[in-house]
Amino acid sequence: MSDYKEIETYKEIQILQYDTEDGYRADFGTKRSKLVPTVQDVRELIDFYQTPDKWSAE
């Protein structure tokens, strides 16, 4: 398993940077998010996942 550095916690979710990767990921517990280039992008991804009415089908 890769080593990682915890960058910050945003809305109770850790933002991580793994040693073997150039970007950042959110730790959602049982799975990691997709790799994104900036911390701000991870924050937006967390916001998206925590707002189901924005991504549910109508």
Side-chain angles (χ1 to χ4, degrees):
M1 185 166 197
S2 298
D3 290 326
Y4 62 87
K5 176 172 43 171
E6 183 179 341
I7 303 303
E8 68 179 54
T9 300
Y10 177 73
K11 295 187 176 182
E12 300 182 16
I13 295 176
Q14 291 180 334
I15 296 175
L16 308 173
Q17 183 176 37
Y18 286 82
D19 292 342
T20 57
E21 300 174 336
D22 292 329
Y24 303 89
R25 295 183 185 268
D27 183 356
F28 289 113
T30 59
K31 64 179 181 176
R32 292 181 285 171
S33 71
K34 69 178 188 173
L35 183 67
V36 294
T38 68
V39 172
Q40 182 58 38
D41 288 338
V42 180
R43 290 182 193 129
E44 291 173 13
L45 189 63
I46 292 168
D47 290 340
F48 178 79
Y49 278 105
Q50 290 189 337
T51 313
D53 58 319
K54 289 185 178 178
W55 50 269
S56 61
E58 292 183 17

